[in-house]
Amino acid sequence: MRRTGALALLGAIAHGSLAASESLPRGVGPEFVKFFESKTTFTCIGNPSITLKASQVNDDSCDCPDGSDEPGTAACANIDPLSPEQPLPGSVTGTTNTTAALPGFWCVNAGHVGSYLPFMYVNDGVCDYQLCCDGSDENTHAGGVQCENRCDAIGKEYRRLEEQRRQNKERSVKKRRTLVKESRELRRRVEVKIANLKTEVRDLDAKKAEMQAKFDEVERSERGKVVKSEGQGGKLGVLVALAKSRVNELRNTLDKVTDQRDDLQDKVDQLEDILTKLKEEYNPNFNDEGVKAAVKAWEDYAAGQPSEPKGDLADSDIMEVLKEDSETSGINWAEFETGEASDVDVVYNWEAYLPVPVRDYVHQKLNLLRVWAIENGILADNPTSGGESRLVTAAREARDSATNAHSVKLGQLEEEQRELEKDYGPDDVFRALKGKCISGEAGEYDYELCWFDKTTQKSKKGHGNTNMGNFVRIDKEFVDEEERLDGKGLGKGQRLVLRYENGQGCWNGPNRRTDVYLGCAETDEVWRTVEAEKCVYRMEVGSPAACEDVQEPGVPIKNEL
């Protein structure tokens, strides 16, 4: 049985006053002393209308409906909603809906910590040293039992363990303060990085607008110019250009399809190896319908495969198709690109007969006229493929480069802002642990926790790793567990819980998830891991980050013992 901290503190406060009140009945706790101060009468605590003689207290007869007249015996031990029909025959209440007014038999435990013992254990012939180290619960010596007072030894060991826990807590809190400092520095660095990225994004935004304006200006000035395009003009030239473009497009598509085919074939081979290994190594006596169905489906699939592979298109034939066109391979486009003068050639030849000043003047005026006609919708802006000037190309590349640089920096800024806004617990303390991993053994597995990343189950027999969940959020949950002597326990109270979800799927079950319960400890350590239910794991972990630092730095923690 566990002593609560409230009872321990209560026992320490009331010890002196109880030792001096020898007239009090046995088993009266410090908070009930005022009800037993009269030496002639006693009023039932839960039923003030009922008054008894003082001699009826601890007379081994349950006279009060709430059992308050028997603080030192087991006469009223059965007053409980879950016990057989109550009260006892002859009771004045006439009802079974009765609860005890007293929490139990009070053990003073001089030299240790006072605590309450359930009434059912009073004078039962067993020495309950865990709660009643002074042996006062067995004053009738039932069955000849003699319970010696062991409070000095038990109290000494208790105080030693409490001092050890206190020192461990102090060291853990100091380490937590160090983690908080590291987390603040990491947060500061992120804030500085965000400020720098914002400046860079503003500069790049201005540069992008500048490059766009320059491109628009160059494109407008160059739009009306007649530029001699690569290749020949005319209908045949246009047809050849379209055919050449289409062939190149089909060649590139075939290249991509071939790469995808190779990737898919690699995945099929890998999956076949996994299923073959599963079929060879699984235990047919293990009654898992999911595994049996998977093995049966694989056997049917394997039986349906042809004994000899079909004659696929040879890779050498595909590579021959993928070769670039030239005089010796594929189509010799040069044969179709000569012989016919294009419209652009005619323009160039016509300008060649004019004097240079006249040619420049006419060219300028025609260019302005063409731009005006295009901007007013009279002519279509449909330049010959490949006829863009180098000036326009350079302006477009400069604009695209500025746009890409702006997009990259903007993405980095958004990522850093998400990182800054992420919940890393009280005081941002877990920021210093992000990316670090710890592990602990349990049976034939090692269980690894990577802070704010994922949890993993690793087989010691080399059967691979299993993702037990990816970090989602931080929660709080109330726990109530026994205090462990080694200190590796959650205890009682609100505890931080890290939720890891959407892990690897189970056979015929949901995706795995892990609830990581955090307790205060001097070092990061996985205490224990269990599968609470199918595909749901409970991991208990100790860490300085989980400690509660309620003291100001430099102020020692008070020892209440």
Side-chain angles (χ1 to χ4, degrees):
M1 304 174 204
R2 180 181 63 212
R3 303 182 199 84
T4 64
L7 290 179
L9 182 58
L10 184 61
I13 295 174
H15 174 65
S17 61
L18 286 178
S21 301
E22 298 180 357
S23 61
L24 284 175
R26 294 179 64 257
V28 177
E31 68 269 45
F32 297 100
V33 170
K34 61 182 180 180
F35 297 104
F36 295 89
E37 290 178 343
S38 175
K39 297 182 179 180
T40 57
T41 60
F42 173 75
T43 299
C44 298
I45 296 176
N47 304 86
S49 61
I50 301 176
T51 302
L52 308 177
K53 297 178 182 179
S55 60
Q56 291 180 272
V57 176
N58 281 344
D59 64 349
D60 209 22
S61 175
C62 198
D63 300 307
C64 288
D66 60 3
S68 57
D69 61 309
E70 297 296 320
T73 72
C76 302
N78 289 328
I79 295 183
D80 190 292
L82 302 179
S83 63
E85 184 179 352
Q86 295 296 323
L88 297 176
S91 172
V92 297
T93 63
T95 175
T96 61
N97 187 19
T98 304
T99 57
L102 302 175
F105 174 84
W106 177 254
C107 300
V108 177
N109 295 338
H112 187 32
V113 180
S115 62
Y116 282 105
L117 178 74
F119 285 117
M120 69 179 67
Y121 298 129
V122 176
N123 290 324
D124 63 347
V126 178
C127 298
D128 299 293
Y129 287 122
Q130 250 189 325
L131 290 179
C132 211
C133 62
D134 59 6
S136 60
D137 59 312
E138 299 298 324
N139 67 311
T140 63
H141 310 297
V145 67
Q146 296 286 340
C147 296
E148 61 179 317
N149 189 333
R150 298 183 180 178
C151 286
D152 287 342
I154 293 177
K156 182 178 179 180
E157 178 63 15
Y158 174 80
R159 288 186 289 274
R160 185 188 69 81
L161 291 176
E162 284 297 304
E163 175 63 17
Q164 186 178 19
R165 291 191 186 99
R166 185 189 66 81
Q167 293 178 358
N168 290 340
K169 178 66 178 296
E170 283 186 347
R171 289 192 293 268
S172 301
V173 168
K174 288 180 180 179
K175 289 190 175 183
R176 185 187 188 278
R177 292 170 185 160
T178 301
L179 288 175
V180 170
K181 290 181 181 178
E182 293 178 7
S183 298
R184 288 174 180 169
E185 174 60 21
L186 291 173
R187 183 180 181 87
R188 187 194 65 80
R189 293 178 185 176
V190 175
E191 291 172 343
V192 170
K193 192 172 184 180
I194 288 176
N196 293 336
L197 285 171
K198 286 182 177 179
T199 301
E200 293 182 28
V201 168
R202 283 195 299 268
D203 294 342
L204 288 172
D205 193 43
K207 184 176 181 181
K208 183 179 74 169
E210 179 185 355
M211 292 298 101
Q212 180 66 45
K214 288 184 177 180
F215 171 74
D216 293 340
E217 180 182 354
V218 170
E219 186 181 41
R220 183 181 182 281
S221 64
E222 295 288 312
R223 183 180 294 172
K225 294 183 179 180
V226 181
V227 181
K228 184 175 177 63
S229 62
E230 181 181 351
Q232 300 298 321
K235 294 182 179 180
L236 179 60
V238 172
L239 181 60
V240 169
L242 291 175
K244 184 177 181 180
S245 175
R246 184 60 174 168
V247 168
N248 290 333
E249 183 180 328
L250 292 174
R251 181 179 288 111
N252 293 334
T253 302
L254 176 60
D255 190 19
K256 293 178 181 178
V257 170
T258 304
D259 291 340
Q260 292 176 356
R261 181 205 63 178
D262 295 339
D263 292 340
L264 291 174
Q265 185 61 48
D266 291 340
K267 291 181 179 179
V268 170
D269 294 341
Q270 185 178 4
L271 290 173
E272 288 182 350
D273 291 341
I274 293 173
L275 291 172
T276 300
K277 188 175 181 180
L278 174 64
K279 177 179 179 300
E280 295 173 352
E281 297 183 358
Y282 93 105
N283 184 0
N285 296 322
F286 184 68
N287 190 19
D288 190 322
E289 296 300 327
V291 176
K292 290 182 178 180
V295 173
K296 179 64 169 59
W298 163 245
E299 292 175 345
D300 295 342
Y301 168 81
Q305 296 299 308
S307 57
E308 295 182 359
K310 297 180 180 180
D312 296 332
L313 184 63
D315 289 343
S316 59
D317 296 335
I318 296 177
M319 295 305 297
E320 185 65 28
V321 174
L322 292 177
K323 286 182 179 180
E324 293 292 335
D325 291 328
S326 64
E327 295 181 359
T328 58
S329 174
I331 302 174
N332 184 10
W333 296 104
E335 296 178 357
F336 303 93
E337 294 176 342
T338 58
E340 182 181 354
S342 67
D343 298 333
V344 177
D345 290 333
V346 173
V347 173
Y348 273 104
N349 293 335
W350 177 75
E351 288 185 351
Y353 291 100
L354 297 175
V356 175
V358 177
R359 183 171 65 233
D360 292 342
Y361 176 80
V362 172
H363 188 74
Q364 181 182 8
K365 295 301 181 181
L366 288 175
N367 186 32
L368 292 174
L369 178 62
R370 177 178 172 80
V371 170
W372 176 85
I374 290 174
E375 290 178 346
N376 287 275
I378 299 174
L379 293 179
D381 186 11
N382 186 25
T384 306
S385 175
E388 184 177 82
S389 70
R390 294 182 180 179
L391 192 59
V392 174
T393 301
R396 175 179 284 106
E397 290 176 352
R399 181 202 62 182
D400 293 344
S401 176
T403 301
N404 293 336
H406 178 269
S407 299
V408 170
K409 288 298 180 182
L410 187 60
Q412 293 176 357
L413 175 60
E414 293 173 351
E415 182 179 354
E416 293 297 332
Q417 287 176 330
R418 287 193 297 269
E419 173 67 18
L420 186 65
E421 296 169 0
K422 189 178 295 184
D423 181 12
Y424 281 105
D427 300 324
D428 224 25
V429 65
F430 291 102
R431 188 181 293 275
L433 296 178
K434 181 186 177 183
K436 298 180 181 179
C437 300
I438 55 176
S439 62
E441 296 183 1
E444 60 182 27
Y445 297 102
D446 285 326
Y447 292 93
E448 183 181 67
L449 164 68
C450 290
W451 297 99
F452 288 74
D453 185 11
K454 63 182 179 179
T455 54
T456 307
Q457 182 189 66
K458 299 183 177 181
S459 172
K460 295 180 181 178
K461 298 181 179 180
H463 294 320
N465 302 334
T466 302
N467 185 335
M468 297 162 54
N470 302 297
F471 176 76
V472 176
R473 65 186 180 278
I474 302 177
D475 283 340
K476 278 190 175 182
E477 193 171 313
F478 183 84
V479 299
D480 186 4
E481 297 185 0
E482 295 283 345
E483 294 285 355
R484 294 172 58 98
L485 293 177
D486 59 6
K488 298 180 180 181
L490 300 176
K492 181 178 181 179
Q494 289 284 343
R495 298 291 180 263
L496 293 174
V497 184
L498 307 183
R499 307 292 187 187
Y500 289 75
E501 301 176 357
N502 302 318
Q504 187 172 329
C506 292
W507 283 104
N508 293 331
N511 289 345
R512 290 173 171 83
R513 68 179 177 88
T514 307
D515 297 327
V516 181
Y517 290 78
L518 301 178
C520 179
E522 189 176 353
T523 58
D524 295 327
E525 181 181 3
V526 177
W527 288 336
R528 59 197 65 88
T529 305
V530 296
E531 188 172 4
E533 54 186 278
K534 185 176 181 180
C535 305
V536 178
Y537 300 87
R538 177 189 174 98
M539 184 180 290
E540 296 182 8
V541 176
S543 173
C547 299
E548 295 182 4
D549 186 3
V550 297
Q551 300 290 327
E552 293 294 332
V555 178
I557 298 175
K558 182 180 178 182
N559 180 10
E560 296 181 347
L561 291 177

